[in-house]
Amino acid sequence: MVHPRGLPSGGSVTPDADHPVDGLTDWRSAVGSESLYRSLVEQLPAAVFVDLFLPEHTKVYISPIVEPMLGYPQASYYTDPDLWERSIHPEDQARVLAEWEAAFQGNSTYDVEYRFLRADGTTVWLHDRAAPLRDGGGATIGWQGVMIDITAQKEAEVELRLSEARHRALIDQLPAVTYLASDEENLQLLYASPNIEKILGFAPDFAPTTDADWTEWIAAEDRDRVLDGWLHSFETGAAFDMEYRSIDAHGRAVWIHDHAVLIRDPAGRRIYWQGVMVDISARVKAQQDLAVAETRYRALIEGIPAVVYEMGPDDERRTIYANPRVEQLLGYSREEWLDQPDIWIELLHPDDRETELAAHDRYSETGEPWSREYRMIAADGRIVWVHDQATLVRDERGNPLTWQGLMVDITAQKLAEEQLRLSHDELEFRDVARTVQLEEANELMTLEIAERRRAEHELRDAEERYRSLVEELPAVVYLWQPRIEDVSLAYANRHIERMLGYSPEEWNAGWWLDRVHPHDRDRVLALALRSETTGEPFEAAYRYLAKDGHVVWVIDRAVLLSRSDDGKPLVFQGVMIDVTAQREAERKAAQAEARFRELAESGPFVPYAFEVDHSHEPAAVEVTYVSPQAATILGLAPDVHRDQASWLNAVHPHDRDRFNARAAENLATGGPWDFDYRTIDVDGSVVWLNDRGSCIERDDRGRPVRFVGALSNVTRRREELDAVETERARLRTLADRIPGVPWSGSFDTVSGRYRLVFVGPQIRELLGVEAATLLADAESLTRWIHPDDRTIVAASQRADRSDVEFRVVRRDGTIRWVHGISARETQPAENPQVWHGLMLDVTERHAAADPDPRAEHAKR
């Protein structure tokens, strides 16, 4: 069979623009004058074509745009009857021809999209639409249609589908719930990403009922606080940013960080809220664990019956920390110790000051552990002897940080020693003098015995007091004897049982190294052997296996007390502190840091942070962190983002003023920002960035000082938006330039209301009124239709397709004839129903066919 889009074998008709082809008179009269037709179709960015039955199917016209659009000369379609069919893409050919055959046989509209091979071999997408062309009697005399190049739209559709897939995959894989919520006080969840099942236990298609109270999913303890925060955001439009407990589908509380922002349309009207919920339960638990640990260690330190302190390593010797025992020891409050930098120097006994200051300088220079006994003057004038032992803490580079030490009151011990010494001297004196005065010697001996008994009693009291002190210390104090000689001096206080479960007797009877964790044993043994050989202090952090098998981390420090007669180390004194909780907290902190570093440095965006120094004019900005992903994700030169001047130079000149204005505003107010701008890469290409962030810290004057933000490469999105905007502008221009009035209308099948959705600006020429006037009044168009024609127009408005001519009355009272065509876009069951149409002014044709002066004016 011969397709109507082709020519019969051996047949061809080549029209001339100025001389119509013979036999086309009826068609010419049907569409108007040639000049009107040419004006109508040759300005359209589409190939308009006409096939007529003369009596065979003959292509009588195709608009000249076909050559730049498809690459073949206009005349080729007249001389080559198979050109169109042959140029259809092989994969689409069968479908297209079947569609065309069905339309031809059914005498109905043909409407299809397909690929077409241009003359140069490239492929374009066409939207091809044609309808039967009828004469005045309704008989089909041919086909009239239009081919539109939709390649850009198809490519944009493909890209949009890919982009949607990418973003969906990103949203689905993010360790968070992204959501949309309605903009109302009792908000409704409109969408939630699939991770809501993993985090809160709800199915991905979960949606609350319209009468649900969303606050019921918030833990009762946090509900009022969260509701107050939401009401503030709802009323002001400010971002909602809170951390609270949410009740999951199983009734368990989950800590989440909920951040949402208000989305507005281009006109600034509020649309909905878009947010993200992140499960922060692990972080909150770690913080709570750290708080518990901090409380426990603070109680431990402040409960030690001795002064625990931390002192600066510099010449000022400023006290950084002192536990409450300092007030009991010397009568000065902790605040006085911390506020007066040189209080330790001032309270040194004058006879000991120079010696201790020199020793302090020496120990500070060498970094050796400090262990001294000296006198201090208490607030009430008492002389207090102290045993002061401290170690110098260094950072990872070996620089001194602080002295951490323990100061014990040994006044009673010193007094007892002095009394013993005096008694011993007195006894010797009496022995020498007893041959002179026996009675006096006896009397003095009696006094001496009484004094000795008193001194022994004081010594026993002092020994008991210090034994209690040692036994009650929240740390293991021990004696370590590498070589057992005549007497074993092994000792461990009672805290060994609280820490590892062994009684002091069990601990002293066993071999301590057997209880060290197997993974640490070789290292600890090497350190112990070194100390046993050289007498150097022993210091290590390692693990023990407690009596019940659980693992305990300790910090173990020991120093040499005495050597044997041959000079070899004999006895060490040490202390072990349980640091298991601290180690666990550090491990969790390291894991958390690793997780957040992975998020910051592996995600599809570039987190950054900077600080502002307001002491300069203008304020100085220092970038403190930028994700190493910056060069890869943003496509910019490495390190360009680390320098403010380099970054500013990278901003596109057309966006630089806007960028500077936003930056200045953010630095001054600390308000959040979220905007797009362009940058220039080193190769000259343009990179679109989305820059968003907020202030996270202000100084005591309320000025913003710390900021965090994130950069995203949105070049593709901006290009798509530009493409969409370009297409929108192109279509708008096309609609505005059509030599007719395009329109769209909708009918609500529930309410029965019909209204215009769009009408082209050409309506002003046709009716003398602005498009906005018609759009504002649903019934206004009907009033402009001639009263005698309103019935036929109303009948055509609900048809699937309509083609009717009727009269309208302009604002100035003149009458115009209109050729109106329309088609239903929606399926009959859909609501609302949508139609698109076109109104053409055919007044001149009617005037030429039937001039009637009475038709010039009419009253509406």
Side-chain angles (χ1 to χ4, degrees):
M1 93 167 263
V2 177
H3 293 286
R5 291 290 297 272
L7 292 172
S9 177
S12 67
V13 179
T14 305
D16 181 77
D18 298 321
H19 300 85
V21 177
D22 292 340
L24 305 185
T25 306
D26 291 341
W27 173 65
R28 291 297 189 189
S29 63
V31 298
S33 66
E34 180 181 0
S35 61
L36 177 62
Y37 182 77
R38 175 177 294 181
S39 174
L40 173 65
V41 301
E42 293 189 355
Q43 295 183 35
L44 291 175
V48 178
F49 64 87
V50 177
D51 296 342
L52 293 181
F53 307 152
L54 297 172
E56 298 176 333
H57 302 296
T58 304
K59 188 173 297 300
V60 298
Y61 180 80
I62 190 165
S63 57
I65 198 174
V66 72
E67 183 169 351
M69 188 170 80
L70 301 180
Y72 294 100
Q74 182 183 14
S76 299
Y77 292 89
Y78 304 130
T79 59
D80 186 351
D82 298 326
L83 176 59
W84 172 75
E85 180 176 337
R86 190 173 63 249
S87 301
I88 299 173
H89 194 284
E91 295 178 6
D92 297 342
Q93 193 172 78
R95 174 176 58 86
V96 173
L97 295 180
E99 291 275 354
W100 178 253
E101 178 70 18
F104 178 65
Q105 294 296 334
N107 200 24
S108 60
T109 300
Y110 161 83
D111 193 340
V112 66
E113 293 179 356
Y114 57 90
R115 288 166 289 181
F116 191 89
L117 299 178
R118 298 180 78 253
D120 60 3
T122 58
T123 301
V124 295
W125 274 91
L126 296 181
H127 183 184
D128 192 348
R129 182 182 177 92
L133 185 63
R134 295 176 170 81
D135 60 14
T140 301
I141 62 173
W143 293 81
Q144 183 174 356
V146 61
M147 293 187 293
I148 304 173
D149 183 350
I150 59 170
T151 306
Q153 294 96 311
K154 282 293 184 180
E155 292 176 348
E157 288 175 10
V158 172
E159 182 55 38
L160 284 175
R161 284 194 293 270
L162 292 175
S163 178
E164 191 274 342
R166 286 195 298 270
H167 284 85
R168 179 174 295 277
L170 174 63
I171 291 298
D172 291 351
Q173 295 172 14
L174 278 176
V177 177
T178 57
Y179 67 89
L180 299 178
S182 61
D183 182 35
E184 50 190 329
E185 184 173 328
N186 186 20
L187 62 83
Q188 300 296 317
L189 189 65
L190 306 176
Y191 165 80
S193 63
N195 267 324
I196 194 170
E197 185 170 15
K198 183 182 297 182
I199 294 177
L200 294 177
F202 297 111
D205 58 353
F206 161 80
T209 58
T210 55
D211 59 349
D213 183 359
W214 64 278
T215 59
E216 292 179 359
W217 301 310
I218 302 172
E221 300 91 335
D222 301 336
R223 194 170 295 157
D224 291 343
R225 175 174 58 87
V226 175
L227 183 57
D228 290 343
W230 162 243
L231 291 177
H232 172 75
S233 296
F234 176 72
E235 293 168 359
T236 64
F240 176 77
D241 194 341
M242 300 197 76
E243 294 182 355
Y244 58 88
R245 284 160 291 189
S246 179
I247 306 302
D248 69 5
H250 308 292
R252 295 172 300 200
V254 179
W255 273 98
I256 61 172
H257 180 190
D258 191 349
H259 180 85
V261 294
L262 178 61
I263 304 301
R264 300 176 184 268
D265 65 14
R269 294 184 293 267
R270 298 162 65 123
I271 307 177
Y272 53 79
W273 290 79
Q274 183 170 355
V276 60
M277 291 187 293
V278 181
D279 183 353
I280 59 170
S281 300
R283 191 194 77 193
V284 172
K285 185 178 185 304
Q287 291 174 342
Q288 293 171 342
D289 291 345
L290 286 175
V292 171
E294 191 274 340
T295 302
R296 184 166 59 249
Y297 283 116
R298 178 180 294 276
L300 180 66
I301 291 298
E302 296 188 351
I304 291 176
V307 177
V308 178
Y309 67 86
E310 191 171 23
M311 181 183 291
D314 51 21
D315 293 339
E316 289 187 4
R317 304 171 179 86
R318 183 185 184 93
T319 303
I320 302 171
Y321 170 81
N323 70 351
R325 299 288 178 176
V326 70
E327 188 167 356
Q328 299 176 12
L329 179 67
L330 297 170
Y332 293 95
S333 67
R334 282 203 295 181
E335 290 71 19
E336 290 176 295
W337 274 86
L338 299 178
D339 292 342
Q340 186 174 336
D342 56 353
I343 189 169
W344 178 73
I345 300 174
E346 293 296 326
L347 298 184
L348 285 172
H349 193 285
D351 294 344
D352 297 343
R353 184 173 296 146
E354 294 302 324
T355 302
E356 296 309 313
L357 290 179
H360 183 278
D361 292 339
R362 184 173 70 255
Y363 281 100
S364 295
E365 182 177 352
T366 63
E368 296 178 5
W370 161 280
S371 183
R372 306 283 297 177
E373 293 182 354
Y374 52 86
R375 290 165 291 181
M376 301 188 75
I377 307 299
D380 58 4
R382 291 179 296 108
I383 295 176
V384 180
W385 274 93
V386 297
H387 175 81
D388 189 354
Q389 186 164 339
T391 56
L392 182 61
V393 179
R394 300 180 182 272
D395 62 19
E396 64 275 5
R397 293 186 295 272
N399 300 318
L401 292 177
T402 59
W403 284 97
Q404 293 181 349
L406 195 72
M407 190 183 296
V408 181
D409 183 356
I410 59 171
T411 305
Q413 178 182 343
K414 284 293 185 179
L415 291 176
E417 291 175 355
E418 180 65 17
Q419 290 297 330
L420 284 176
R421 187 186 62 79
L422 291 175
S423 298
H424 180 70
D425 291 345
E426 187 69 19
L427 178 59
E428 290 183 351
F429 173 78
R430 294 303 180 187
D431 286 340
V432 173
R434 63 185 174 179
T435 56
V436 180
Q437 290 183 329
L438 182 59
E439 290 182 1
E440 184 178 355
N442 289 334
E443 182 182 353
L444 290 176
M445 182 64 69
T446 302
L447 293 173
E448 176 192 355
I449 293 172
E451 183 66 22
R452 179 176 296 176
R453 287 175 178 173
R454 186 185 64 80
E456 289 176 353
H457 179 72
E458 290 182 354
L459 279 176
R460 281 195 299 272
D461 288 345
E463 190 273 340
E464 181 62 29
R465 188 162 54 250
Y466 284 106
R467 177 183 294 276
S468 175
L469 173 65
V470 171
E471 290 294 335
E472 295 304 322
L473 274 177
V476 175
V477 177
Y478 66 88
L479 293 178
W480 164 34
Q481 189 175 6
R483 296 183 303 157
I484 305 300
E485 305 219 344
D486 295 337
V487 179
S488 173
L489 301 176
Y491 166 79
N493 68 352
R494 290 184 297 180
H495 190 71
I496 193 70
E497 188 165 4
R498 293 193 292 268
M499 188 170 79
L500 295 177
Y502 294 98
S503 67
E505 295 73 23
E506 289 175 318
W507 183 262
N508 295 331
W511 175 233
W512 67 275
L513 191 61
D514 290 340
R515 298 153 181 165
V516 176
H517 194 287
H519 293 173
D520 297 337
R521 196 167 292 158
D522 292 343
R523 174 173 58 88
V524 174
L525 177 59
L527 293 172
L529 291 175
R530 185 191 66 177
S531 297
E532 290 179 3
T533 304
T534 65
E536 297 178 35
F538 173 86
E539 182 171 348
Y542 55 94
R543 290 163 290 184
Y544 270 115
L545 295 177
K547 189 174 182 179
D548 62 5
H550 78 276
V551 176
V552 179
W553 272 96
V554 302
I555 293 178
D556 189 353
R557 294 188 177 97
V559 294
L560 183 64
L561 285 184
S562 62
R563 294 179 180 270
S564 61
D565 294 339
D566 57 1
K568 294 181 180 180
L570 181 60
V571 179
F572 287 83
Q573 178 180 349
V575 61
M576 285 192 299
I577 301 174
D578 183 349
V579 293
T580 307
Q582 177 184 345
R583 284 283 180 156
E584 180 64 15
E586 290 172 354
R587 183 186 66 81
K588 291 181 179 178
Q591 287 180 342
E593 180 187 3
R595 283 197 299 270
F596 285 112
R597 179 178 294 275
E598 181 179 0
L599 287 174
E601 300 186 353
S602 302
F605 56 93
V606 179
Y608 66 91
F610 63 91
E611 297 181 359
V612 180
D613 185 355
H614 293 282
S615 64
H616 296 77
E617 185 60 39
V621 177
E622 178 186 2
V623 178
T624 56
Y625 174 79
V626 178
S627 171
Q629 290 276 84
T632 303
I633 292 179
L634 304 184
L636 299 178
D639 297 328
V640 67
H641 45 273
R642 295 190 178 275
D643 178 69
Q644 185 182 10
S646 300
W647 183 252
L648 184 58
N649 289 334
V651 176
H652 195 286
H654 292 173
D655 295 344
R656 198 166 292 162
D657 290 343
R658 181 168 59 91
F659 177 87
N660 285 336
R662 290 297 301 268
E665 178 184 355
N666 294 333
L667 294 180
T669 67
W673 66 92
D674 184 352
F675 66 106
D676 295 351
Y677 54 89
R678 290 164 291 183
T679 56
I680 307 297
D681 200 353
V682 289
D683 62 1
S685 61
V686 174
V687 179
W688 272 98
L689 299 182
N690 173 256
D691 192 344
R692 64 181 62 194
S694 61
C695 171
I696 61 172
E697 184 180 336
R698 296 177 181 268
D699 62 15
D700 53 4
R701 295 172 56 183
R703 297 176 299 186
V705 293
R706 290 183 61 215
F707 295 80
V708 295
L711 295 169
S712 302
N713 188 329
V714 294
T715 305
R716 186 183 300 276
R717 174 172 64 82
R718 292 300 302 217
E719 289 175 349
E720 290 176 357
L721 290 176
D722 290 345
V724 171
E725 175 60 25
T726 300
E727 178 64 9
R728 187 198 66 81
R730 187 183 73 82
L731 295 176
R732 182 60 182 266
T733 301
L734 175 62
D736 291 349
R737 293 177 61 186
I738 289 177
V741 183
W743 60 270
S744 295
S746 71
F747 176 72
D748 190 329
T749 59
V750 177
S751 65
R753 296 187 59 189
Y754 179 88
R755 67 184 184 90
L756 278 177
V757 178
F758 168 78
V759 62
Q762 300 93 325
I763 195 69
R764 188 175 187 278
E765 176 63 24
L766 181 64
L767 297 180
V769 295
E770 300 295 339
T773 302
L774 296 179
L775 295 175
D777 184 353
E779 301 297 330
S780 61
L781 183 59
T782 302
R783 288 197 294 269
W784 295 97
I785 299 173
H786 193 285
D788 295 343
D789 295 342
R790 289 175 183 172
T791 301
I792 62 172
V793 173
S796 68
Q797 283 183 336
R798 305 293 183 268
D800 289 344
R801 298 189 58 80
S802 70
D803 189 334
V804 63
E805 292 192 355
F806 56 93
R807 291 162 292 177
V808 295
V809 183
R810 299 185 80 251
R811 179 186 290 276
D812 60 7
T814 60
I815 294 177
R816 295 284 182 93
W817 274 94
V818 174
H819 180 197
I821 58 175
S822 66
R824 185 200 306 265
E825 177 188 340
T826 52
Q827 296 297 320
E830 294 184 34
N831 185 47
Q833 295 286 292
V834 177
W835 283 265
H836 301 301
L838 184 68
M839 293 185 292
L840 299 176
D841 187 344
V842 293
T843 305
E844 292 185 9
R845 175 164 59 81
H846 277 266
D850 183 21
D852 184 358
R854 294 175 299 174
E856 294 181 358
H857 290 79
K859 296 295 184 181
R860 286 185 289 112

